[in-house]
Amino acid sequence: MSQFASRRHVLRLAAGAAAIASTLSVPLAVHAADAPAATFIESVANRVIELIKSTTPGPAREAAFKKVLETDFDLNFMGRSALGTHWNGTTPEEQQRFLKAAASAEAHAYSERFGQYLGQTLSVGRVSPRPNGVSVVDSKLNQSNGQPISIQWEVRDEAGRPRITDVKVEGVSMVMTRRSDFNSYIQNHGGKVDALIAELESRAKQ
Amino acid sequence: MGQGFLKAAAGHLRRSAVLAVAAAALVGGCATKDTGAEDVWDPLETPNRFIFSINRAVDTIALRPVAVLYRDTVPDPAQKGVHNAVTNLGEPITALNEAVQGKAHRAATTMARFLINSTIGVAGLFDVAKSMGLEPSKNDAGLTIGYYAGVEPENGGFYIMLPLLGPSNVRDAAGLVADGSLDPFGIAIYSIWGSTPYWIYAGSRVGATVVDTRVRTMYALDDLEKNSVDYYAALRSAYTQQRAEQIRQKRSPDAKAELERRDNLALVR
């Protein structure tokens, strides 16, 4: 059996990562809470669903995903968080290259994640505004078979426009996981952010 | 699940719950900063990565193909039955952990589920209890230790990559030993019929659990592997975060403390 195979909670973990995936394959949200952040999440979910219905995996879908990511996600903030302490040690040019490569890799990942729409729906629940300007939106991804998956969205208002800064699936934060992933890669490549950028760039081209 | 393994290895480790307590103390002593599982304490990283690579090889050549075959050829109702049955075998231990965590009502619900599903549900093959409104829950001794450890739940002691069983840490590995050694079925079979029937029981239970879990984790793990630049590190982080989240839920169903913690994390970013 594999390292993954045998434990109950790993299962959840899986559900987690999967959800990051399926999240986007979300739904025609029904339970619209009143907060603007909730409405925002619902509209993003609906746009993604439309996107999946109207495209097949390939460059067109990838471009469409990239557009959603660029519009509704605060990619610069997320990228910066994901790079963690290494951000400050890099030149502005490297930072731009990194952000661009990370966004492309993300769009590529999303476009490959979904085959076709499987009827999932996202019900948005409680919204908790935080003093630091971030709203945490609770939601459940309901699947046609299996348990619902819990997804939390962090939404930050930037110049009056809400943007997603993190997605937590069953407790697993996308940004935190990337950060750990990137940080470890950099450390294993002589502390050079450049190596990570090159790797991300080559992946985006695949 | 995995506990079946350790249980097997530890046929007479009946008193190893003591170990778990000792481990809890150790966990409490091992401080790591709360960085949201970015920096998981992993002093054994080199051997851990070595074990991880072996686990992956075993997975690639054996487990994953078996899981794919199972997923694609066994009828869905049968797959569901297997899942229900292995879950049912774990319910007494789940209930025990819930009781130790002071959740008497939840423990009673779990035991009711076990009694109903073991009888009306035909040895656990059907989750009749759920249709009666008795929702399933998950619990284990790793969560119990985390519940009482009094440290940030990201801190489970150092990270351990278990051979075959995968990601763990001091807290959760101790939990596996405790759960496994207290398994009532294992104890009963071993003491009544001896070691051969015990191994048959443990082997088939672990086998069923492993395949069932591998099928259920396939999508997520494939995705994590494909979209990470350092799969080992990404899995380590995801595992740690997920276990921490489960412990937080056991500690307080109210999410206020968690939200405050995240505010702080956001500031550190």
Side-chain angles (χ1 to χ4, degrees):
Chain A
M1 7 235 115
S2 94
Q3 61 271 29
F4 317 122
S6 357
R7 303 181 52 180
R8 215 173 305 173
H9 32 267
V10 168
L11 205 164
R12 282 250 185 135
L13 185 165
I20 291 184
S22 0
T23 297
L24 288 189
S25 73
V26 194
L28 309 162
V30 198
H31 313 279
D34 262 345
T39 322
F40 168 65
I41 292 301
E42 289 181 347
S43 90
V44 174
N46 289 336
R47 246 172 298 149
V48 170
I49 218 72
E50 278 313 310
L51 191 168
I52 293 165
K53 281 180 179 168
S54 62
T55 58
T56 50
R61 178 180 278 191
E62 191 168 330
F65 263 113
K66 196 161 186 187
K67 197 150 170 262
V68 172
L69 287 171
E70 279 164 357
T71 321
D72 299 319
F73 287 69
D74 193 341
L75 287 178
N76 287 358
F77 183 80
M78 293 171 89
R80 195 180 166 155
S81 297
L83 209 51
T85 50
H86 295 287
W87 178 266
N88 290 333
T90 49
T91 65
E93 295 92 307
E94 277 180 323
Q95 291 172 356
Q96 288 315 310
R97 270 180 67 211
F98 165 75
L99 291 174
K100 190 159 171 279
S104 299
E106 214 64 65
H108 183 69
Y110 273 114
S111 70
E112 295 221 317
R113 226 162 240 165
F114 313 101
Q116 61 194 57
Y117 179 58
L118 294 173
Q120 297 94 332
T121 58
L122 188 78
S123 23
V124 173
R126 196 174 45 163
V127 178
S128 321
R130 309 303 304 157
N132 59 6
V134 173
S135 292
V136 179
V137 182
D138 289 341
S139 70
K140 287 243 179 279
L141 179 70
N142 310 299
Q143 314 180 88
S144 45
N145 53 351
Q147 296 279 345
I149 295 167
S150 130
I151 303 174
Q152 286 187 320
W153 311 78
E154 285 189 10
V155 179
R156 208 170 66 141
D157 243 19
E158 208 187 309
R161 209 162 130 253
R163 293 186 125 188
I164 297 163
T165 53
D166 198 4
V167 185
K168 274 187 132 190
V169 181
E170 295 281 336
V172 179
S173 145
M174 198 171 119
V175 169
M176 279 298 170
T177 307
R178 285 275 178 275
R179 184 162 162 165
S180 193
D181 183 24
F182 290 171
N183 186 41
S184 180
Y185 189 89
I186 293 167
Q187 276 178 8
N188 289 324
H189 289 78
K192 292 199 178 68
V193 178
D194 211 41
L196 173 68
I197 298 171
E199 174 69 22
L200 290 174
E201 282 174 343
S202 81
R203 277 166 180 248
K205 281 190 205 114
Q206 270 166 27
Chain B
M1 317 229 126
Q3 67 245 47
F5 246 135
L6 288 164
K7 160 187 358 121
H12 29 262
L13 259 179
R14 295 287 128 76
R15 276 171 293 162
S16 54
V18 176
L19 267 180
V21 176
L26 182 60
V27 168
C30 310
T32 53
K33 281 181 312 191
D34 175 19
T35 52
E38 178 197 359
D39 302 315
V40 178
W41 186 30
D42 190 5
L44 303 179
E45 181 164 345
T46 303
N48 277 344
R49 278 188 188 266
F50 177 67
I51 292 165
F52 184 60
S53 65
I54 295 172
N55 285 353
R56 283 181 81 179
V58 173
D59 185 60
T60 308
I61 60 173
L63 179 59
R64 195 177 184 286
V66 168
V68 169
L69 194 68
Y70 173 84
R71 182 192 64 187
D72 297 344
T73 58
V74 176
D76 282 354
Q79 290 188 32
K80 203 162 188 187
V82 168
H83 176 71
N84 289 340
V86 292
T87 305
N88 190 56
L89 285 174
E91 300 272 37
I93 289 294
T94 303
L96 176 65
N97 280 296
E98 285 162 349
V100 174
Q101 290 168 28
K103 305 180 196 308
H105 186 261
R106 183 57 249 187
T109 306
T110 302
M111 272 321 284
R113 280 178 51 78
F114 173 69
L115 295 173
I116 291 168
N117 287 340
S118 301
T119 51
I120 307 175
V122 194
L125 287 173
F126 302 95
D127 192 350
V128 188
K130 191 177 177 186
S131 54
M132 295 170 151
L134 300 174
E135 288 294 322
S137 71
K138 293 180 174 164
N139 220 314
D140 58 69
L143 299 182
T144 301
I145 298 169
Y147 182 82
Y148 285 112
V151 294
E152 285 293 340
E154 273 81 7
N155 173 10
F158 55 82
Y159 187 70
I160 303 170
M161 180 59 65
L162 295 173
L164 305 175
L165 297 179
S168 192
N169 53 37
V170 174
R171 175 193 68 210
D172 295 337
L176 278 184
V177 175
D179 282 344
S181 58
L182 292 169
D183 172 44
F185 309 107
I187 293 173
I189 292 170
Y190 188 84
S191 46
I192 299 172
W193 292 297
S195 70
T196 307
Y198 171 80
W199 279 98
I200 294 169
Y201 154 78
S204 37
R205 180 176 169 183
V206 169
T209 304
V210 160
V211 173
D212 175 58
T213 309
R214 188 66 185 92
V215 168
R216 284 158 182 271
T217 53
M218 193 167 300
Y219 184 78
L221 289 174
D222 285 355
D223 195 271
L224 190 67
E225 176 172 14
K226 200 166 60 178
N227 295 307
S228 55
V229 289
D230 186 338
Y231 184 29
Y232 173 88
L235 183 63
R236 182 176 62 190
S237 172
Y239 174 81
T240 306
Q241 290 180 60
Q242 195 189 24
R243 290 294 281 173
E245 171 77 7
Q246 290 169 355
I247 290 169
R248 284 206 172 83
Q249 280 169 9
K250 300 300 176 201
R251 282 185 184 174
S252 78
D254 153 36
K256 189 158 168 283
E258 160 60 5
L259 287 170
E260 275 163 13
R261 171 185 153 273
R262 256 197 283 157
D263 287 351
N264 294 334
L265 277 179
L267 293 177
V268 184
R269 280 180 198 161

